[in-house]
Amino acid sequence: MPSRKFADGEVVRGRWPGSSLYYEVEILSHDSTSQLYTVKYKDGTELELKENDIKPLTSFRQRKGGSTSSSPSRRRGSRSRSRSRSPGRPPKSARRSASASHQANIKEARREVEVKLTPLVLVLVFILIQPFVFPFMYVFTRITCTSNVHELFAGVFLIMFGLPVFLFLLLLMCKQKDPSLLNFPPPLPALYELWETRVFGVYLLWFLIQVLFYLLPIGKVVEGTPLIDGRRLKYRLNGFYAFILTSAVIGTSLFQGVEFHYVYSHFLQFALGATVFCVVLSVYLYMRSLKAPRNDLSPASSGNAVYDFFIGRELNPRIGTFDLKYFCELRPGLIGWVVINLVMLLAEMKIQDRAIPSLAMILVNSFQLLYVVDALWNEEALLTTMDIIHDGFGFMLAFGDLVWVPFIYSFQAFYLVSHPNEVSWPMASLIIVLKLCGYVIFRGANSQKNAFRKNPSDPKLAHLKTIHTSTGKHLLVSGWWGFVRHPNYLGDLIMALAWSLPCGFNHILPYFYVIYFTMLLVHREARDEYHCKKKYGVAWEKYCQRVPYRIFPYIY
Ligand code: NDP
């Protein structure tokens, strides 16, 4: 007779069918034929469970407030209530306690419909994203490529006010226990609750520390791409050193007992502080650009004040050798993002009373850390991106770099603090493979193009086919860039998906980044195609014939 692991009357934890949640149960009996245990939950629900779905109490740490020992139905309204199978809802085979009210059943049913739909919705979003985002992209492209004053004015205002509001709505939604669309809009805090001068002071301190690291005379100095007048600006590459120094400061502060939970508990206040700072910076940038010589203006600037405030007027605003745009692109926001992720990891351990972070949190943190470290390690590659070569420094980039990146890109980690998701090892392995595939494409494509732009006659690139353009530059038509146009965007997008998957399928919220990023890259690709067509003319058309595949073929 096969032996049984748990005895009658033993108190253990039983997995709720269809979910990854475990609740305290008492073993009532064991059927040696079916090898099933009959267990009783605290609310009286009796179920039959396999041995694999039962774990001894010692494999769990007790949570503060004893919430882990709650019965499934008592946990309604707690953060677990939106799991893929609600723990409070019995499967058909369950003998349910008669106390469940009709009202609660209706609520459960509503949640069930949403939850069951979520994976389907995700799949649909991925398939249909391109036609869906068309209207938005149309408006955005009109704004960035139009010269119609009314369109510019309306669109730019919409984005400048809409984006911060949207950011706060997302953060507030994520703070809800059940951030489903059924609970939209989230409760709004009073404005005065969002502002804290001390928080703003901490933010300024962070910014100044990064300025200090940027100014350190370490790291090599390189030249950027030629400007319109043939000049080449010098840039010091010390982003990676700044990251190491920041890590040392953060590590020392942790060791000294600095309470990093303050950042989590004042997250919205930090987001507001960063937004205010960004607005002040944008005003300064616009004012100083009015005195800038014509040659220093961005090719994207239009002469329309509102549009130029938004898109940026001056291409490379500098105070002495301090390059404001270059600094903001990689330092306070990007390094800030991984620091915020670390804060979320610590907050998860504290709030969920975990001895170690969840696997989901570890995946999200490591993936995004790799992304940031990669960007800083390959800092020189920034010099050939559209942000540096083409776009001026105004509200769009300032808000993107200083607010959007740290507060939206850390969204998955923020989500996991209050919406735990257990990821199995097989699932984690698949996600890691996906992330690595994305990374190989992303890094391969970016490095190939950067090496080629830096030195077109590099012997290592001699095997690549190119076509000549009337500007004197060549375009790659083989290697990564012969496989599809903008292969780097494809890799980036795959990685973005891998960042969201550890958050599970209970809500669409952690997938916001992938959806938003798809929209951003759709727009970027369209914008770049437009500029390259203008810049390279016939040669670009030839390139398009040689490489007809685009990653977003249905749009534009
Ligand atoms: P790219 O690095 O793709 O730069 C586009 C430029 O590359 C074109 O203007 C053209 O410039 C050159 N180019 C295009 N096709 C070819 C070719 N066949 N051969 C040689 N050169 C070519 O764009 P981005 O600056 O938008 O992106 C850089 C990276 O940053 C990407 O990986 C992107 O995913 C990532 N990114 C990430 C963001 C995030 O928020 N996480 C936001 C934006 C970008 P030229 O010919 O003048 O050299």
Side-chain angles (χ1 to χ4, degrees), residues 314-328:
E314 203 175 342
L315 187 60
N316 303 294
R318 285 186 163 204
I319 302 170
T321 53
F322 186 84
D323 191 302
L324 288 160
K325 180 168 72 169
Y326 183 68
F327 166 74
C328 288

Side-chain angles (χ1 to χ4, degrees), residues 337 371 381-382 384-389 404-405 409 442 446 449-450 452-453 473-477 481-482 485-493 499 513 516-517 520-521 524-525 528-529 531-532 535-536 540 543 547:
W337 170 19
Y371 192 76
L382 183 68
T384 59
T385 61
M386 284 204 281
D387 289 3
I388 295 293
I389 296 175
W404 198 254
V405 167
Y409 287 24
F442 165 84
N446 277 323
K449 191 198 72 179
N450 293 327
F452 182 68
R453 280 286 170 255
K473 274 182 173 178
H474 288 73
L475 288 167
L476 291 164
V477 286
W481 295 80
R485 296 199 319 253
H486 281 105
N488 48 353
Y489 290 176
L490 179 66
D492 223 340
L493 215 47
W499 298 352
Y513 176 73
Y516 142 78
F517 198 49
L520 176 106
L521 292 184
R524 248 179 129 81
E525 193 229 20
D528 198 44
E529 288 272 327
H531 290 308
C532 286
K535 192 163 43 174
Y536 298 124
W540 187 256
Y543 171 57
V547 186

Side-chain angles (χ1 to χ4, degrees), residues 191-316:
L191 257 184
Y192 70 87
E193 285 175 32
L194 285 179
W195 178 259
E196 264 203 41
T197 311
R198 187 166 168 231
V199 167
F200 190 60
V202 175
Y203 180 79
L204 286 182
L205 181 66
W206 165 255
F207 197 89
L208 288 176
I209 289 175
Q210 291 308 319
V211 171
L212 187 74
F213 291 163
Y214 177 85
L215 292 174
L216 289 178
I218 45 173
K220 67 173 175 172
V221 176
V222 297
E223 288 190 328
T225 54
L227 300 173
I228 198 160
D229 54 8
R231 271 183 309 137
R232 279 171 171 248
L233 294 175
K234 287 192 165 52
Y235 296 87
R236 185 178 290 283
L237 306 179
N238 64 6
F240 191 72
Y241 295 114
F243 175 75
I244 302 280
L245 289 170
T246 307
S247 308
V249 171
I250 299 285
T252 314
S253 314
L254 274 173
F255 191 68
Q256 298 288 327
V258 172
E259 193 43 272
F260 277 80
H261 197 73
Y262 181 78
V263 179
Y264 174 73
S265 55
H266 293 80
F267 199 48
L268 281 140
Q269 287 88 338
F270 271 101
L272 183 64
T275 308
V276 168
F277 183 83
C278 151
V279 172
V280 174
L281 177 66
S282 308
V283 172
Y284 165 75
L285 289 167
Y286 183 73
M287 301 304 281
R288 60 166 280 152
S289 77
L290 296 176
K291 289 191 220 137
R294 211 178 156 66
N295 274 350
D296 287 356
L297 299 188
S298 134
S301 63
S302 67
N304 177 292
V306 178
Y307 179 72
D308 285 351
F309 176 80
F310 171 73
I311 205 83
R313 202 160 175 269
E314 203 175 342
L315 187 60
N316 303 294

Side-chain angles (χ1 to χ4, degrees), residues 310-529:
F310 171 73
I311 205 83
R313 202 160 175 269
E314 203 175 342
L315 187 60
N316 303 294
R318 285 186 163 204
I319 302 170
T321 53
F322 186 84
D323 191 302
L324 288 160
K325 180 168 72 169
Y326 183 68
F327 166 74
C328 288
E329 279 275 306
L330 287 188
R331 314 301 175 97
L334 204 75
I335 300 179
W337 170 19
V338 285
V339 174
I340 289 175
N341 274 354
L342 175 71
V343 165
M344 297 304 160
L345 182 144
L346 296 171
E348 184 201 53
M349 289 170 67
K350 184 172 175 147
I351 289 170
Q352 296 174 27
D353 198 19
R354 286 175 174 271
I356 54 164
S358 68
L359 181 55
M361 184 63 96
I362 292 175
L363 288 178
V364 168
N365 259 265
S366 343
F367 289 168
Q368 299 185 349
L369 179 68
L370 171 68
Y371 192 76
V372 170
V373 169
D374 175 88
L376 295 167
W377 184 258
N378 295 289
E379 187 180 358
E380 197 172 351
L382 183 68
L383 300 176
T384 59
T385 61
M386 284 204 281
D387 289 3
I388 295 293
I389 296 175
H390 185 265
D391 295 339
F393 194 29
F395 180 85
M396 185 178 81
L397 271 185
F399 187 78
D401 292 341
L402 303 178
V403 185
W404 198 254
V405 167
F407 294 95
I408 286 291
Y409 287 24
S410 58
F411 204 60
Q412 287 96 354
F414 184 47
Y415 174 87
L416 283 172
V417 174
S418 42
H419 309 93
N421 182 53
E422 297 304 328
V423 180
S424 65
W425 274 106
M427 183 63 176
S429 313
L430 282 178
I431 299 174
I432 292 171
V433 169
L434 186 73
K435 163 76 189 179
L436 291 179
C437 286
Y439 181 72
V440 167
I441 301 174
F442 165 84
R443 180 54 28 235
N446 277 323
S447 297
Q448 204 166 65
K449 191 198 72 179
N450 293 327
F452 182 68
R453 280 286 170 255
K454 220 167 123 188
N455 178 14
S457 45
D458 186 341
K460 283 192 213 133
L461 304 173
H463 63 287
L464 295 176
K465 294 196 181 89
T466 61
I467 50 176
H468 181 72
T469 75
S470 54
T471 64
K473 274 182 173 178
H474 288 73
L475 288 167
L476 291 164
V477 286
S478 73
W480 287 108
W481 295 80
F483 161 61
V484 64
R485 296 199 319 253
H486 281 105
N488 48 353
Y489 290 176
L490 179 66
D492 223 340
L493 215 47
I494 294 173
M495 288 197 288
L497 179 61
W499 298 352
S500 299
L501 287 173
C503 299
F505 299 103
N506 293 335
H507 287 288
I508 201 148
L509 215 53
Y511 291 82
F512 169 75
Y513 176 73
V514 196
I515 297 167
Y516 142 78
F517 198 49
T518 307
M519 290 160 76
L520 176 106
L521 292 184
V522 164
H523 172 256
R524 248 179 129 81
E525 193 229 20
R527 203 152 67 101
D528 198 44
E529 288 272 327

